[in-house]
Amino acid sequence: MQEHTQLSHKQINEDLLKGVLTVPKWWLPAVSFLGLVVLTGLGAFFFMMYHGLGVTGLNRPVMWGVFIANFVFWIGISHAGIMISAILRLTQAEWRRPITRAAEVMTVFSLIAALHTPLMHVGRPWRVLYWIFPYDFSRGIWPNIRSPFVWDPSAVGTYLIASSLFVFVCLLPDIAILRDRAKKPIVKKIYAQMALGFRGTPRQWKLQILAGILLSALVLPVFVSVHSIVSWDFAVLIGVEGWHSTIFAPYFIIGAIHSGVSAVAMLMALSVWLYGLDKYIKPDHFDAIARLLIVVATTWFFFFFLEWVYALYTLAPPEIALRELQAFQWPYGPLFAIFIITSFVIPVPLWLFKRVRRSVVWMFWTTVLVNIGMWLERFLIVIPGLIRRTHMTFDWGTYHPSIVEILIVVETFAFVCLGMLLFAKVLPLVPLFDVKEGMVNRRLIKVGRRVIPATIREGLPHHYYEKKQ
Amino acid sequence: MVDSNKWGMVVDIDRCTGCQGCVVACQSENNIPINLEEHFNQRRAIQWIRIERYWEGEYPDVKARFIPIMCQHCGSAPCEPVCPVYATYHNNEGLNVQVYNRCIGTRFCANGCPYHVRFFNFWEPEWPESLKNQLNPDVTVRSRGIMEKCSFCVQRIQRSTRESERDNEVLEDGDRGLNPACVNACASNSLIFGNFNDPDSTVSKMKEDAMQEGGRGYRLMENLGTDTNVIYLRKVDEFVVEAPHG
Amino acid sequence: MVNDPGDRVLEPYVETDNSVETRKAVSDGLLGIHNITSNRFWQFAALFGIMFIFGIVGFVWKLSSGFDDKSTWGYYVAVFAFLMTTSSAAPMVAIAPRIANSHWRRPISRAAEIWTLAGCLNLILYIPLIWLLPSLENGRRSLWFYGQQEGVPAYSPHIWATLAIVGLVLLGLSLLWLSTLPDFAVLRDQGEGWKKKWGGKLALGWRGTSAQWNWQHHRMGVVGAFYFMMLVFVHFFISVEFLMVHVPGWIDSLYPITHAHNALQAGVATVMLTMFFLRQFGGYKDYIGLDQFWGLGKLLLALSLLWFWFWFSSFNVFWYGGKPSEQAVLELFVKGPYLYLFITIFILVFILPWFTMIWNPVRRSVWGPAILATSVLIGTLLDRIRLYVASWDVAGRSMAKELEMKMQDVPTKIQTPGYEDIFIMVGFIAGSILIFMLATRLIPAVNLWEQKEMLLYKAEIQFHRTKVTVMGKPR
């Protein structure tokens, strides 16, 4: 019965605003440490900008390195927010409610983190505006719309704007609560500005819900297009055998969902541990997300299998040589083994056990493993792909990331963590109104001698049946 | 006289001795920074034209094979559509040109190029004091952070076409210093440059001869359909050359 | 007593109406409809039966024409593939929502499962194809890496594809049987005449004990999951062995997924159309309601959008690169002789469902989804014809040894179907429908036990000023 206790409004407010209204002991040290890492990374970036890309490990033909692998990874993580929020909202999955906000916020921060690296890694970062801004400036040339690199910023930009809007719309009722509770006048004023005068009238609620549903439906095509386009950055090139594969777009998306949803499970575990939200994020939620992950991971693995099968199906020597490099040669062979084991072989069989699915600790560590594996997956696509075992053996390359690159990659991780922590200090990481709505909709149903949880369905309006039938 | 030009090159592998003369000529003509040993070790050396040397056979029957590779100036180039800022595009003389000033250095083109002939300036280029006066005033010195590649010595093409138009004369093979530096430097005459649109030019005749059934001509990586403007002529000997055209 | 967040007092739990009377009313109502067989039913059955006889004639005719000229077999394989993408995929509509605990599936899951019986026809159609499957000996591209690896029998594709297809049909039949067990028991106890007899035989001593229910639910889950995996693999085999190997240079790693996706889309359309007919002509008007059309409509909309995405993902990679062998593949399937056919398909399976289904009123109607399902099914049939006829046409030129197709090798016109092809096409589609119709005489077309199970979980309550439905989620 622990699973379906009803909580009062008051208690929900108290529990969920705890992170905002009080400062946990670990918060300041954690933020300062992460801030330091971010500053170091930014320092490394300015060092790189000052001296040129020579300070990286890039060379010919490996023109893209861990930066791009990292970019793909973060874009992948960013798919979690929409996956959890929009799709689960449209399919009316009840268990989404306490975890939507964290997932959406992670989307926003990981998108910004993703944008870091490609913008940093161009040769002349001070001219990036010519690339990402669709305007002809004084040069008289518009960006080249044939280039996937122009589709990229437009898709990622749209996604960033849409998901920020989505976060904001979902935040409105909660900001209004914070406005009413804030003590310092200046803080109250800021929250009041942000709340856009939300008072909780029926009309405001209706608009807020409508905006949420519309945004989640409209953001779905963007969600699909973002990673498809990222994959086309690679797949359209006929010169790189390992990349020129039609499966890339769906493969990237399903991989993104795999790592993104795993990241959400990590976040759930962290919010249980750090903010004590075990009354809201329960074993049931971990169970549901693990079931979802089993399906996603298996589908992803099938896509991965197809990509490999078709690479070998070409019978082209460069393809086969590339696969050999990816899977068997130092140092990629061990990485490949780690990637397969951590992203599929260990977690999925574990998730088949109910005890694992319902345990916070197990879920945290298995999803951490998945993300290690998925980062390596991107690395193994980008780098061995470029090292290129082509017919021209003269141009086979190698690549070792330099310390500057590693610092910047670490910086993106610290940036997202820092962003989440700062956000949680200012705004609640679990949506108050969504949880309350779930409580209102929650009922219990008696089946025989057992009582099981039930919800009010937002199906067809009742009068619809009476009128039409 | 032809309406438009389509510049191209024929490379006779049979004649190539691998002397690297073309590489040096290119280096000095096009203001390419000096490639030190460390550049080669880092795989960041810039060589607009390079001689790839392949060993063939088992000891003691070892043969060295040479193939000069420069930008192939593809008719349908994989590097062109992917540039987001139009830094590389196809001009109406069949050349794949690089506009240094537009380039922001995404290096997408370098990944797209199947011939690996696009080079990135990882550092600000430097010359020893003694060499600064030998920089070619007709060629831009590229700063760090941008891509560069063989231009078929577009500065020479420009000058000679302009001068021949001024004098109202027909520009023929090698006239008025038309040939790129590598072609001029090639001692064994294995590089031949000219206008494919002019049916009387040497390259046109060689191409026609070589590309017919049983001819020696081939293009690098023809299966990619890049429609290159550089024609290679196969080596003639009893051993089949394992030319990289898979 | 429990308080809700607004501190209103709530009942501790909602009572459902699960009395013996209601349950009996549900099963009596459904059995009543099930036991009626109208004259019109037999008229249509006779019509489809005659068409099916034509199909058999065409089948024998086709067999007698021999296996040497591969280019004439395109239409035949297209029919086989079409049946695999419709009747064999339809059960997914029962399996997937059942795993996801969606209640709207209950009245239609049986109809979806009965389609597996039509899979037997697919098996008949498949037998001659074994002789047409290219073996590994002629140096074709292969998933079995023949020639690089010792010990791969030259007929591996034949073995694996056959195993997968037979396995799929067997899994489908066992799924149907498992899910019908409780209903057979009802027939045994309450039916009359031959239905009682067969119900008794097929119910396998079903008594409805808890152990039996647990056993049945568990088995259905496992068989359903395996059915889905097998379906994906079957489409993987079909798309490789009957499509890709015939077209040199067609190396499209996404295509097996696209093929499986087409099957899901056409399967949903099949079930949609089936439930339309069951509702309008089968007498199940009170059971198959707007909820079902709405639920499936959303699914069909999503799948139609995915159709575009899958198609474009493949197309874009091929088209952008400009590689000659890939351009030739595009010329064969999209730009060349099949251009207008392709545009028609594009409109039927993507544009039409997309632009109409995004409107809720269309999804919430009976006719809207039915018409769009027809459009999707016609589009899918044309799509099978486009793909299979085109690739078998190329296979007929015996280019199996070449690894890449050239532009001039692309045929300039579409093969015309022979009379036997048309006979097979019409006959076997009619045959599938006939099998479905006849099966519904014994097996209730709307699930009795799932309808009764719903009574356990569904209740209506007063919520402020309106009545709402409360749905229980069993775990």
Side-chain angles (χ1 to χ4, degrees):
Chain A
M1 291 302 284
Q2 177 65 34
E3 295 282 311
H4 15 88
T5 37
Q6 291 278 3
L7 301 161
S8 68
H9 269 185
K10 195 163 171 257
Q11 189 168 8
I12 294 174
N13 286 353
E14 268 169 21
D15 286 349
L16 297 183
L17 293 179
K18 208 165 66 187
V20 182
L21 300 174
T22 59
V23 185
K25 258 198 301 243
W26 48 264
W27 193 82
L28 201 63
V31 166
S32 354
F33 173 72
L34 291 172
L36 209 66
V37 178
V38 170
L39 283 181
T40 318
L42 286 181
F45 166 59
F46 284 114
F47 177 77
M48 183 173 83
M49 193 154 111
Y50 185 78
H51 288 282
L53 282 171
V55 299
T56 62
L58 301 171
N59 57 52
R60 189 180 66 88
V62 189
M63 290 285 186
W64 294 347
V66 283
F67 280 177
I68 295 299
N70 199 47
F71 163 70
V72 180
F73 174 79
W74 281 115
I75 291 278
I77 294 286
S78 80
H79 278 52
I82 296 308
M83 171 69 197
I84 294 293
S85 272
I87 295 183
L88 296 184
R89 178 186 294 245
L90 292 179
T91 53
Q92 300 184 357
E94 278 297 313
W95 58 270
R96 72 166 196 276
R97 292 187 186 274
I99 55 181
T100 46
R101 173 77 46 76
E104 289 156 15
V105 173
M106 192 175 63
T107 294
V108 174
F109 283 114
S110 54
L111 268 180
I112 300 172
L115 281 176
H116 271 54
T117 35
L119 298 187
M120 282 177 180
H121 103 305
V122 297
R124 303 201 281 187
W126 50 92
R127 292 200 171 205
V128 145
L129 214 56
Y130 294 136
W131 161 23
I132 55 169
F133 202 71
Y135 183 65
D136 63 350
F137 294 103
S138 55
R139 307 187 313 157
I141 334 168
W142 293 77
N144 176 9
I145 53 154
R146 293 181 301 166
S147 169
F149 263 21
V150 168
W151 314 340
D152 242 343
S154 44
V156 176
T158 315
Y159 191 46
L160 183 59
I161 292 168
S163 50
S164 313
L165 260 180
F166 192 50
V167 171
F168 185 61
V169 164
C170 294
L171 264 173
L172 279 177
D174 294 355
I175 302 178
I177 290 178
L178 280 170
R179 171 197 63 199
D180 300 343
R181 296 196 146 216
K183 300 233 163 53
K184 284 185 196 152
I186 173 85
V187 177
K188 199 178 183 78
K189 206 161 187 177
I190 294 172
Y191 279 130
Q193 289 295 324
M194 280 165 71
L196 301 180
F198 191 87
R199 290 255 172 279
T201 64
R203 187 183 136 76
Q204 283 177 334
W205 275 115
K206 202 174 167 189
L207 284 176
Q208 196 261 356
I209 289 169
L210 214 75
I213 288 177
L214 261 184
L215 272 172
S216 47
L218 290 178
V219 87
L220 275 181
V222 183
F223 155 83
V224 172
S225 74
V226 168
H227 227 44
S228 304
I229 288 171
V230 169
S231 78
W232 290 331
D233 289 347
F234 304 98
V236 295
L237 296 176
I238 45 172
V240 190
E241 284 86 352
W243 290 356
H244 187 62
S245 175
T246 51
I247 206 170
F248 257 44
Y251 177 49
F252 272 44
I253 299 252
I254 194 81
I257 293 172
H258 186 30
S259 68
V261 175
S262 300
V264 171
M266 273 163 67
L267 263 188
M268 283 159 59
L270 285 176
S271 38
V272 167
W273 289 335
L274 298 181
Y275 292 102
L277 295 178
D278 47 345
K279 253 183 271 173
Y280 299 89
I281 299 173
K282 291 183 192 145
D284 259 359
H285 294 105
F286 285 100
D287 189 85
I289 211 163
R291 283 159 188 262
L292 181 67
L293 273 172
I294 294 174
V295 176
V296 170
T298 315
T299 319
W300 167 80
F301 199 71
F302 182 62
F303 277 62
F304 165 75
F305 165 77
L306 276 188
E307 199 227 333
W308 264 71
V309 159
Y310 277 87
L312 302 175
Y313 176 75
T314 57
L315 300 180
E319 281 273 17
I320 291 165
L322 170 73
R323 300 298 154 172
E324 232 174 76
L325 171 74
Q326 262 185 348
F328 300 118
Q329 281 171 31
W330 180 264
Y332 306 106
L335 292 181
F336 185 82
I338 296 174
F339 144 61
I340 292 282
I341 290 170
T342 55
S343 60
F344 190 82
V345 176
I346 292 181
V348 175
L350 278 178
W351 290 332
L352 293 178
F353 295 99
K354 200 170 184 179
R355 269 182 61 192
V356 174
R357 288 202 302 264
R358 299 181 74 85
S359 143
V360 182
V361 182
W362 275 104
M363 281 307 289
F364 178 75
W365 288 109
T366 45
T367 47
V368 166
L369 281 186
V370 167
N371 270 309
I372 293 174
M374 293 309 285
W375 195 91
L376 285 175
E377 184 219 15
R378 278 57 180 261
F379 181 83
L380 286 168
I381 288 175
V382 175
I383 282 104
L386 277 178
I387 286 175
R388 277 196 269 201
R389 298 303 201 225
T390 60
H391 292 285
M392 296 167 125
T393 54
F394 204 77
D395 294 312
W396 292 6
T398 55
Y399 169 74
H400 305 284
S402 75
I403 185 78
V404 175
E405 284 172 284
I406 291 168
L407 280 179
I408 292 178
V409 167
V410 171
E411 183 263 350
T412 57
F413 284 83
F415 172 82
V416 175
C417 297
L418 181 66
M420 298 293 293
L421 283 185
L422 289 178
F423 183 92
K425 183 69 203 73
V426 184
L427 295 161
L429 214 47
V430 173
L432 278 70
F433 81 94
D434 218 354
V435 170
K436 287 177 197 163
E437 191 183 48
M439 295 280 178
V440 171
N441 281 351
R442 176 176 294 167
R443 290 290 184 279
L444 298 174
I445 264 188
K446 197 170 183 188
V447 178
R449 273 166 299 173
R450 282 183 63 213
V451 174
I452 61 163
T455 47
I456 292 175
R457 271 287 156 210
E458 307 156 34
L460 284 172
H462 198 262
H463 62 83
Y464 214 88
Y465 291 102
E466 286 159 6
K467 199 171 67 190
K468 291 268 165 134
Q469 286 183 353
Chain B
M1 184 72 187
V2 281
D3 292 338
S4 66
N5 302 316
K6 188 165 184 270
W7 304 111
M9 199 179 273
V10 174
V11 181
D12 192 345
I13 297 199
D14 197 36
R15 286 165 173 268
C16 180
T17 58
C19 71
Q20 309 262 3
C22 48
V23 179
V24 176
C26 176
Q27 208 83 7
S28 52
E29 167 75 16
N30 289 306
N31 297 342
I32 297 171
I34 308 297
N35 290 320
L36 302 174
E37 191 183 345
E38 54 171 322
H39 294 139
F40 283 102
N41 286 340
Q42 291 173 342
R43 308 196 123 265
R44 287 173 183 170
I46 296 179
Q47 290 178 301
W48 286 10
I49 182 169
R50 65 173 185 266
I51 307 282
E52 293 200 351
R53 183 255 303 119
Y54 293 98
W55 297 112
E56 198 181 285
E58 292 285 315
Y59 176 83
D61 289 322
V62 187
K63 285 198 182 277
R65 303 292 196 198
F66 302 103
I67 175 165
I69 293 180
M70 71 303 286
C71 174
Q72 308 286 311
H73 293 270
C74 310
S76 123
C79 60
E80 285 166 7
V82 298
C83 177
V85 290
Y86 279 117
T88 179
Y89 76 102
H90 217 69
N91 78 358
N92 51 11
E93 300 206 331
L95 295 180
N96 175 287
V97 286
Q98 179 77 17
V99 185
Y100 305 126
N101 220 7
R102 288 180 192 164
C103 181
I104 58 169
T106 63
R107 309 192 290 291
F108 203 170
C109 53
N111 287 338
C113 177
Y115 309 102
H116 307 240
V117 288
R118 297 186 142 266
F119 301 88
F120 185 70
N121 285 279
F122 284 94
W123 304 105
E124 195 70 42
E126 278 173 16
W127 283 268
E129 199 55 42
S130 55
L131 287 179
K132 280 199 174 151
N133 285 339
Q134 68 97 50
L135 287 180
N136 187 347
D138 291 339
V139 179
T140 324
V141 170
R142 283 80 53 187
S143 71
R144 80 180 149 86
I146 60 176
M147 300 301 305
E148 59 182 61
K149 62 162 198 72
C150 161
S151 63
F152 270 172
C153 287
V154 69
Q155 67 279 6
R156 296 188 178 203
I157 297 176
Q158 290 293 337
R159 190 182 54 226
S160 36
T161 43
R162 193 170 59 236
E163 284 178 5
S164 69
E165 262 170 43
R166 182 193 64 199
D167 301 342
N168 233 347
E169 280 179 18
V170 179
L171 185 68
E172 280 172 3
D173 286 349
D175 271 1
R176 301 174 188 268
L178 169 72
N179 281 343
C182 55
V183 175
N184 279 352
C186 184
S188 61
N189 244 351
S190 66
L191 302 174
I192 301 104
F193 181 79
N195 184 355
F196 279 132
N197 271 3
D198 176 4
D200 299 326
S201 67
T202 324
V203 283
S204 292
K205 287 178 188 155
M206 288 181 82
K207 182 185 177 186
E208 198 182 332
D209 194 40
M211 294 310 270
Q212 63 190 332
E213 195 75 11
R216 287 204 291 141
Y218 67 93
R219 290 182 160 107
L220 280 190
M221 300 191 193
E222 207 158 4
N223 65 331
L224 295 182
T226 41
D227 186 24
T228 60
N229 275 332
V230 177
I231 306 283
Y232 284 83
L233 304 184
R234 201 166 271 127
K235 195 161 179 69
V236 203
D237 63 6
E238 67 265 48
F239 302 104
V240 181
V241 181
E242 280 192 35
H245 61 90
Chain C
M1 290 292 131
V2 186
N3 293 349
D4 90 334
D7 284 332
R8 272 186 303 274
V9 178
L10 291 178
E11 294 294 314
Y13 47 77
V14 182
E15 286 280 0
T16 49
D17 184 12
N18 185 34
S19 57
V20 180
E21 290 79 38
T22 12
R23 276 185 286 166
K24 184 145 178 34
V26 169
S27 88
D28 282 351
L30 281 172
L31 275 183
I33 301 166
H34 174 59
N35 284 331
I36 298 169
T37 308
S38 66
N39 279 336
R40 196 150 56 157
F41 175 87
W42 290 119
Q43 286 160 10
F44 271 98
L47 176 69
F48 287 131
I50 293 165
M51 281 155 84
F52 184 47
I53 290 169
F54 272 104
I56 300 281
V57 171
F59 180 68
V60 176
W61 189 353
K62 189 84 207 169
L63 283 189
S64 61
S65 68
F67 299 100
D68 294 337
D69 186 5
K70 283 196 173 176
S71 61
T72 58
W73 281 83
Y75 284 95
Y76 180 91
V77 190
V79 176
F80 167 70
F82 177 68
L83 290 178
M84 288 307 286
T85 49
T86 50
S87 62
S88 293
M92 281 315 298
V93 180
I95 295 165
R98 194 177 276 153
I99 289 171
N101 256 327
S102 301
H103 291 290
W104 58 261
R105 63 144 211 283
R106 294 179 184 276
I108 53 172
S109 58
R110 174 61 50 74
E113 284 159 352
I114 294 180
W115 277 111
T116 53
L117 279 176
C120 302
L121 274 192
N122 303 356
L123 273 186
I124 297 175
L125 276 177
Y126 175 69
I127 294 167
L129 290 182
I130 299 175
W131 276 267
L132 287 165
L133 265 185
S135 88
L136 293 179
E137 275 163 345
N138 54 3
R140 54 160 260 198
R141 273 170 217 259
S142 156
L143 298 170
W144 313 102
F145 318 122
Y146 188 66
Q148 293 158 25
Q149 209 175 318
E150 292 297 311
V152 179
Y155 288 93
S156 332
H158 302 64
I159 297 161
W160 290 112
T162 311
L163 277 182
I165 288 169
V166 173
L168 183 75
V169 173
L170 288 182
L171 276 173
L173 291 180
S174 48
L175 181 69
L176 176 65
W177 198 354
L178 274 172
S179 102
T180 326
L181 275 178
D183 290 1
F184 281 140
V186 172
L187 285 181
R188 175 193 64 199
D189 298 341
Q190 299 179 22
E192 289 152 9
W194 67 279
K195 282 184 191 170
K196 189 179 177 72
K197 191 175 142 203
W198 279 98
K201 274 183 189 167
L202 292 170
L204 299 181
W206 180 269
R207 286 269 168 274
T209 62
S210 305
Q212 282 178 332
W213 278 112
N214 285 341
W215 178 86
Q216 188 238 18
H217 269 67
H218 181 248
R219 290 296 132 84
M220 274 200 323
V222 172
V223 173
F226 272 108
Y227 189 87
F228 180 51
M229 289 186 211
M230 201 53 111
L231 183 78
V232 170
F233 266 101
V234 161
H235 283 279
F236 174 52
F237 286 126
I238 295 179
S239 58
V240 173
E241 306 297 354
F242 296 118
L243 273 176
M244 278 193 206
V245 286
H246 299 306
V247 185
W250 190 16
I251 294 155
D252 186 345
S253 44
L254 182 55
Y255 197 73
I257 310 254
T258 314
H259 206 282
H261 161 266
N262 291 353
L264 294 183
Q265 191 193 15
V268 168
T270 312
V271 175
M272 226 167 189
L273 209 59
T274 315
M275 73 188 191
F276 172 78
F277 281 107
L278 284 178
R279 184 190 150 94
Q280 299 301 96
F281 307 109
Y284 290 105
K285 197 165 182 173
D286 295 339
Y287 297 89
I288 298 172
L290 291 178
D291 254 349
Q292 281 68 44
F293 284 96
W294 200 31
L296 269 192
K298 281 190 263 189
L299 211 55
L300 190 65
L301 172 66
L303 288 168
S304 303
L305 289 173
L306 279 181
W307 187 93
F308 175 76
W309 181 52
F310 279 126
W311 171 78
F312 188 72
S313 294
S314 282
F315 176 81
N316 187 42
V317 170
F318 273 15
W319 168 78
Y320 198 101
K323 208 170 157 180
S325 58
E326 291 171 355
Q327 294 302 310
V329 173
L330 286 188
E331 179 76 14
L332 177 66
F333 290 120
V334 183
K335 297 193 220 159
Y338 291 90
L339 175 66
Y340 293 105
L341 189 59
F342 175 73
I343 293 172
T344 317
I345 292 160
F346 197 77
I347 291 170
L348 286 178
V349 296
F350 169 58
I351 303 274
L352 261 182
W354 174 33
F355 273 111
T356 50
M357 285 287 206
I358 47 169
W359 307 110
N360 229 342
V362 178
R363 292 197 300 256
R364 266 187 202 161
S365 67
V366 173
W367 282 91
I371 292 169
L372 290 166
T374 318
S375 145
V376 166
L377 282 179
I378 295 172
T380 309
L381 177 61
L382 292 178
D383 204 15
R384 296 310 95 175
I385 289 175
R386 170 178 77 107
L387 291 161
Y388 286 89
V389 174
S391 50
W392 284 74
D393 203 1
V394 178
R397 295 165 195 229
S398 74
M399 302 200 303
K401 278 196 185 210
E402 298 204 8
L403 294 185
E404 286 177 351
M405 186 165 57
K406 293 188 181 60
M407 208 56 111
Q408 58 265 28
D409 298 328
V410 175
T412 48
K413 64 177 181 47
I414 307 177
Q415 283 260 343
T416 42
Y419 290 112
E420 70 273 29
D421 293 325
I422 294 170
F423 280 6
I424 292 172
M425 196 178 299
V426 174
F428 274 77
I429 292 172
S432 301
I433 300 172
L434 180 70
I435 289 180
F436 182 89
M437 285 175 78
L438 293 180
T440 58
R441 290 310 91 204
L442 176 63
I443 306 170
V446 169
N447 212 325
L448 294 174
W449 66 267
E450 278 200 313
Q451 284 293 75
K452 283 191 271 184
E453 195 186 40
M454 178 131 84
L455 295 173
L456 292 171
Y457 300 122
K458 190 177 172 182
E460 278 188 356
I461 59 162
Q462 192 72 28
F463 186 76
H464 299 283
R465 272 168 297 175
T466 174
K467 269 192 174 172
V468 291
T469 314
V470 174
M471 287 286 190
K473 281 267 177 184
R475 264 285 145 76

